[in-house]
Amino acid sequence: MTRILPGILAMAAVVVASNILVQFLLGNWLTWGAFTYPIAFLVTDVMNRVYGVQAARRVVFTGFLVGVVCSLIGSQIMLQGDGYEFAAVSLRVAVGSGIAFLTAQLLDVAIFDRLRGGRWWRAPLASTLIGSAVDTVLFFSIAFSASIGVFFSENATLETSWATEAVPFLGVGGVVPLWVSLAFADWLVKLSLALVALVPFRVLVAKLSPNPA
């Protein structure tokens, strides 16, 4: 457990930070969380390459549990904004994040392990691209979709109602809920960061393991 503790702490920090930052817009079509959450895939892939599939799953599950606890605490912390109070972490955001995180990360681990024997970049790139796509669909639909809002309390839905505003898709297309544009833009960022992350992946694996990636 000690050897993967840094991975667990990093994963927990990413989950908590992303749950908070996804509620704050960056420009018109992105949230700050789009730039923090992809780090979770980097952490998982490094743990998988260096310590193996079982260690990677332990990092995912342990980081998930720590993240859930911290998110529940965050849901009890009230922030002030535009004349009203809102939770630092919305219940819907926390639930959506938890389901999407666990599904996408475990899928990432399985795909990475399946491609482990190929070129060093193939496993982290393919697993991250597929996992991030699944994560985006699950998270944004659960956290913000009006059709899923019936499963949450009125307060939980009100906290994320800003994302259901009808606007042109990315400012130029047909009218859709804001969260659809946010999800698409988020996915594009994840695709870009999946490529960028290959550099720190290679460096971290080389530093942590005597064997090349």
Side-chain angles (χ1 to χ4, degrees):
M1 178 65 75
T2 302
R3 64 178 183 171
I4 64 174
L5 182 59
I8 291 172
L9 294 177
M11 188 68 78
V14 168
V15 172
V16 175
S18 299
N19 282 356
I20 295 174
L21 294 176
V22 76
Q23 299 176 92
F24 296 92
L25 287 173
L26 173 62
N28 293 325
W29 315 117
L30 285 173
T31 70
W32 285 101
F35 296 92
T36 57
Y37 185 75
I39 299 173
F41 291 98
L42 173 62
V43 173
T44 300
D45 291 345
V46 170
M47 293 294 105
N48 202 340
R49 174 65 78 186
V50 176
Y51 301 117
V53 64
Q54 294 303 323
R57 289 195 180 110
R58 290 180 69 182
V59 168
V60 169
F61 280 118
T62 308
F64 166 76
L65 292 176
V66 174
V68 166
V69 171
C70 293
S71 294
L72 290 176
I73 295 174
S75 68
Q76 302 304 308
I77 299 174
M78 304 305 294
L79 303 177
Q80 297 286 338
D82 296 329
Y84 64 94
E85 283 190 335
F86 60 94
V89 179
S90 164
L91 175 62
R92 285 192 64 175
V93 169
V95 172
S97 175
I99 294 175
F101 173 86
L102 202 57
T103 303
Q105 291 297 320
L106 291 179
L107 180 61
D108 178 279
V109 171
I111 294 173
F112 188 104
D113 191 54
R114 182 69 176 262
L115 301 176
R116 181 184 298 276
R119 292 181 177 272
W120 72 267
W121 51 265
R122 190 173 67 170
L125 183 59
S127 61
T128 298
L129 290 179
I130 296 173
S132 62
V134 171
D135 175 84
T136 298
V137 172
L138 288 177
F139 171 72
F140 279 92
S141 59
I142 294 173
F144 301 119
S145 174
S147 61
I148 297 180
V150 296
F151 298 102
F152 295 90
S153 67
E154 182 178 356
N155 285 339
T157 300
L158 286 174
E159 289 174 349
T160 58
S161 60
W162 58 269
T164 60
E165 177 187 0
V167 297
F169 179 68
L170 295 179
V172 295
V175 175
V176 296
L178 173 60
W179 69 265
V180 175
S181 292
L182 295 178
F184 186 77
D186 177 269
W187 180 64
L188 291 180
V189 170
K190 287 175 180 174
L191 292 183
S192 300
L193 292 182
L195 294 172
V196 175
L198 290 176
V199 175
F201 171 83
R202 185 70 164 173
V203 172
L204 289 170
V205 168
K207 185 175 182 179
L208 296 173
S209 174
N211 300 315

